[in-house]
């Protein structure tokens, strides 16, 4: 893979903005370089534009060099940046599994890039042959989500490997829900695939959707491209501080995951015995997709009781589908009792 040839021509030529904190490395006590207000520390100072301290902590946790880490304003930022770096509007295209996370297509539409869908089979499994057949010389990105949203299943590892070895563009593997899966992350194999970008997040297992912190892991060359085109101070100080605090209490996150997995198992068992639930799909995520006879009616019934689930009835291959997030034991019991009352 020749990364420079994959990049848009204007990105190859781009001279990135150099902020004050990019130009100085080391220790200092007097900062007169960034036109900041000298009062109201620490919030008066611009945050580290590369979030190096936070990346080093993530590096230690994930077993990946900090130079292979990009941090963004949610995972949506690296998703958008990958389009802006590699896809020439109205010329290039991307290929994605269907159904999957909707922001891949939204970002394609925003960037005026053709978005090609390749259907999963009835068991929501990937066919690498079908996906590769949908690519051509102008396909720059392939989007895979595993565990997949909204289906909950992990994609077959061999099929994912086949795509990685045979597609000569960038393969993005979104592992937002990997902490809830018994499958291993592809992070330990990042060095095998120079065209691989892995997305993870603080929004799910880490219980921190509000701080908007997404992680992208890739070769240092790809990370340098993302750093080149991101906004200078894309991750604010409060988010960096909160993430560091979370990492200091990683045992708490592991306990949350343990509880949620226990609740997931209980919820799956309970849902399977409810008459209105016709099918419960296997899941490796912190949610479960179920099929009911009339998803719109059941959704309205639940909302009238103050219970909000996600109606996936109009999503491809998910007719009759409701996506239910695993909540607290009390929330899950409220849902179960409501469904039993239909």
């Amino acid at each position: 893979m020749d990364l420079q040839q994959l990049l848009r021509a204007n990105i190859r030529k781009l001279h990135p903005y150099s902020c004050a904190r990019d130009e100085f490395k080391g220790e200092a006590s007097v900062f007169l370089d960034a036109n900041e207000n000298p009062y109201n520390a620490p919030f008066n100072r611009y945050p580290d534009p590369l979030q190096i301290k936070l990346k080093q902590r993530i590096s230690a946790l994930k077993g990946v060099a900090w130079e292979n880490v990009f941090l963004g304003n949610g995972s949506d930022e690296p998703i958008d940046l990958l389009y802006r770096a590699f896809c020439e509007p109205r010329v290039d295209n991307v290929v994605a599994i269907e159904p999957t996370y909707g922001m891949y297509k939204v970002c394609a539409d925003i960037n005026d890039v053709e978005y090609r869908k390749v259907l999963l089979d009835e068991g929501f499994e990937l066919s690498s042959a079908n996906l590769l057949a949908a690519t051509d010389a102008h396909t720059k990105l392939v989007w895979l989500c595993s565990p997949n949203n909204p289906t909950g299943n992990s994609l077959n590892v061999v099929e994912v490997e086949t795509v990685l070895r045979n597609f000569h563009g960038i393969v993005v593997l979104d592992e937002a829900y990997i902490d809830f899966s018994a499958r291993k992350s592809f992070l330990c194999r990042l060095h095998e695939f120079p065209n691989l970008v892995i997305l993870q997040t603080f929004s799910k297992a880490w219980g921190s959707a509000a701080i908007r912190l997404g992680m992208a892991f890739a070769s240092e060359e790809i990370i340098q491209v993302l750093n080149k085109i991101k906004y200078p101070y894309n991750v604010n100080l409060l988010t960096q501080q909160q993430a560091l605090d979370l990492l200091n209490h990683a045992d708490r996150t592991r306990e949350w995951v343990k509880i949620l997995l226990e609740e997931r198992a209980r919820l799956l068992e309970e849902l399977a015995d409810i008459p209105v639930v016709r099918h419960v799909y296997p899941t490796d995520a912190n949610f479960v997709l179920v099929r009911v006879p009339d998803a719109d009616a059941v959704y309205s019934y639940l909302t009238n009781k103050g219970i909000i689930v996600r109606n996936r009835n109009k999503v491809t291959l998910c007719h009759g589908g409701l996506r239910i997030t695993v909540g607290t034991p009390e929330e899950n019991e409220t849902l179960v009792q409501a469904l039993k009352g239909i």
Side-chain angles (χ1 to χ4, degrees), residues 50-52 55-56 59 64-70 223:
L50 292 177
Q51 313 95 31
I52 291 175
K55 286 178 179 177
Q56 288 173 338
S59 166
V64 176
W66 74 264
E67 294 88 351
N68 297 114
V69 182
F70 175 85
I223 297 299

Side-chain angles (χ1 to χ4, degrees), residues 236-309:
N236 70 67
L237 176 64
L238 294 174
T239 291
Q240 293 187 45
Q241 289 177 334
Q242 180 62 22
L244 285 167
D245 182 67
L246 286 164
L247 292 166
N248 286 334
H249 300 91
D251 54 336
R252 181 177 57 190
T253 297
R254 286 189 285 269
E255 181 62 22
W256 289 339
V257 171
K258 178 176 178 291
I259 293 169
L260 288 170
L261 290 178
E262 291 171 353
E263 278 301 297
R264 185 181 74 184
R266 186 178 73 85
L267 186 60
L268 289 171
E269 187 175 332
E270 295 260 20
L271 289 170
D273 289 334
I274 297 175
V276 75
V277 177
R278 298 298 170 84
H279 187 73
V280 179
Y281 291 94
T283 180
D284 283 331
N286 69 329
F287 61 84
V288 56
L289 183 70
V290 301
R291 191 177 72 245
V292 296
D294 187 340
D296 294 343
V298 175
Y299 176 80
S300 296
Y301 166 83
L302 291 173
T303 58
N304 287 334
K305 289 185 169 292
I307 302 169
I308 310 301
V309 297

